[in-house]
Amino acid sequence: MTTVEQRPKNRPRSTDKALLTAGIAAGPVYLGTALAQALTRPGFDLARNDVSLLAIGPHGWIQVANFVVTGLLVLACAKGLRSTLIAIFGAGLIAAGVFTADPAGAAISWHGALHIVAAGIGFLAFTAACLVQKSGYSRATGIVFLAAFGGVASGSANPVVVIGFWVAVALAFGWLGVTAVRATRTINH
């Protein structure tokens, strides 16, 4: 068994397996919770409404909790991956839950502005985490995610833009899960 001192700098320890597993779980938790709400919330339209709008209203606490729990899972994974950029993404998710979005068409409030800023910083950090990788899959994920984020950040409610962002979010969490799985395979038992 190797000691920490003998372990290559970027190779995870066996104690990191649980942290990496959190990253594998993050996507299914986030997407499953968001889609369950989107499909059962009266008036919510997957083709026109951003997931952040689920944090509004009497059942908004569910999406707030989804943002926070998913952010904590991503933070755990970031620790296992030793990735500051992924940690910023996780922190952005948590802050996006704490500072809820404003209803569509409403004036931007202070908490709505902080929601946008927190999500934006987190999404840009995620994109950077993808782009610094050597694989084409990672870089493609970062580019697609950045383009989709740009589309929804423009305020567009065009169904192609909104659905494109939902797909990009699924792709992003897929990338995180694959990255975590690959890292668990390098753990020396």
Side-chain angles (χ1 to χ4, degrees), residues 31-86:
L31 292 167
T33 303
L35 286 172
Q37 293 176 86
L39 295 172
T40 59
R41 178 87 54 99
F44 191 87
D45 183 353
L46 274 167
R48 298 207 180 274
N49 299 127
D50 187 292
V51 69
S52 293
L53 297 179
L54 290 168
I56 301 168
H59 299 290
W61 67 269
I62 297 169
Q63 184 56 32
V64 168
N66 191 24
F67 278 130
V68 172
V69 168
T70 302
L72 291 170
L73 291 170
V74 171
L75 282 175
C77 184
K79 183 172 171 98
L81 292 172
R82 291 163 183 69
S83 172
T84 302
L85 291 170
I86 297 298

Side-chain angles (χ1 to χ4, degrees), residues 55-159:
I56 301 168
H59 299 290
W61 67 269
I62 297 169
Q63 184 56 32
V64 168
N66 191 24
F67 278 130
V68 172
V69 168
T70 302
L72 291 170
L73 291 170
V74 171
L75 282 175
C77 184
K79 183 172 171 98
L81 292 172
R82 291 163 183 69
S83 172
T84 302
L85 291 170
I86 297 298
I88 293 168
F89 174 53
L93 287 168
I94 293 168
V98 171
F99 303 108
T100 56
D102 294 309
I108 296 179
S109 65
W110 66 269
H111 58 83
L114 289 175
H115 176 85
I116 293 166
V117 168
I121 291 169
F123 292 166
L124 291 174
F126 174 82
T127 299
C130 290
L131 294 177
V132 299
Q133 301 299 311
K134 293 180 183 173
S135 80
Y137 168 67
S138 292
R139 290 180 177 166
T141 299
I143 291 166
V144 168
F145 189 77
L146 182 62
F149 170 58
V152 294
S154 73
S156 176
N158 179 306

